[in-house]
Amino acid sequence: LDLSSRRSGGTADVSRSPNDASRRQFLSQWLLSTVSLGSSFIPQSACAQDETSLQPYVKRADKFGYTFQPPLNFDAGNKPLKTHLDEINFKSLQQSGYQFGITVDPVRITSLQQFGTPEEVAAKVVLAEVNRDGVFDVTLMQDPQQGDFSLGGGGGGQYNYYQLNYLSQGKRGDKRFVTKFYIQNQFLYALT
């Protein structure tokens, strides 16, 4: 599946960094762990604690909540301009540009399938990204993925997730995104 979109010509040679594998592992384990109202999503690989790790980040609101255990040597911070109902970023203290972001937004739909197939959603994301100011080219690095997971910790239920892996090239350089998202109780949860 080739869903590249360009404003102006040119392509880039994308080489994988050693952190791509650990980031993919982390994202994979994130959805296999628990995320829900009153439950947590702490990947097994991030459960080991030592003096350099952050405490779990816990967010509880009236209608949604989650717990996130950031990797070692990541610092929590907010974007200067809030664009989601809830959002938090965790930036690496060791590697510039390496970060995780969690967003939560209310939606009218109850499942990702109501928004489209993984390929349709990927096309919408690519189009939205390439229309952002300063972005010249957006290329899907991998076919969109779809999977199911169950929530533990009393959250119950079977949920469907989509995963997108794309490169955005623009005035501010190249940015690689790997995003997993799902809908629960009409809230869209995304981990990027």
Side-chain angles (χ1 to χ4, degrees):
L1 176 68
D2 180 18
L3 287 177
S4 354
S5 183
R6 288 183 174 76
R7 277 198 189 165
S8 62
T11 58
D13 176 25
V14 178
S15 58
R16 293 185 178 205
S17 75
N19 289 322
D20 284 349
S22 64
R23 185 174 174 95
R24 278 193 304 277
Q25 277 181 321
F26 183 83
L27 286 169
S28 294
Q29 289 186 5
W30 171 72
L31 277 173
L32 296 175
S33 43
T34 57
V35 175
S36 74
L37 292 146
S39 64
S40 62
F41 57 106
I42 301 174
Q44 295 171 358
S45 65
C47 287
Q49 293 288 320
D50 71 13
E51 48 289 334
T52 61
S53 68
L54 294 172
Q55 294 299 314
Y57 175 81
V58 178
K59 177 66 178 195
R60 297 284 178 253
D62 290 339
K63 297 185 180 188
F64 71 91
Y66 58 89
T67 301
F68 176 73
Q69 176 65 56
L72 299 177
N73 299 311
F74 275 69
D75 193 20
N78 292 317
K79 295 189 319 187
L81 179 64
K82 185 176 177 180
T83 57
H84 301 275
L85 174 65
D86 185 66
E87 59 189 301
I88 185 81
N89 289 334
F90 295 88
K91 295 183 180 185
S92 173
L93 300 174
Q94 297 174 335
Q95 183 177 352
S96 176
Y98 187 45
Q99 64 183 343
F100 290 95
I102 301 169
T103 62
V104 179
D105 288 296
V107 292
R108 293 184 179 159
I109 59 178
T110 57
S111 73
L112 291 172
Q113 291 78 9
Q114 291 174 320
F115 191 59
T117 65
E119 291 78 12
E120 292 168 338
V121 171
K124 291 173 186 179
V125 169
V126 167
L127 183 61
E129 186 74 18
V130 81
N131 286 324
R132 291 179 58 203
D133 186 38
V135 175
F136 308 124
D137 184 28
V138 178
T139 306
L140 247 115
M141 304 306 295
Q142 186 177 45
D143 286 346
Q145 297 177 11
Q146 176 178 354
D148 296 313
F149 69 100
S150 296
L151 293 178
Q158 184 77 14
Y159 296 91
N160 188 254
Y161 71 86
Y162 291 172
Q163 178 175 311
L164 303 179
N165 182 345
Y166 63 95
L167 175 70
S168 176
Q169 299 170 292
K171 287 192 276 191
R172 297 179 190 100
D174 296 350
K175 294 183 180 181
R176 179 83 176 258
F177 295 92
V178 178
T179 302
K180 277 193 177 181
F181 47 98
Y182 78 100
I183 293 175
Q184 179 188 14
N185 300 328
Q186 291 188 297
F187 285 94
L188 175 67
Y189 291 81
L191 174 68
T192 301

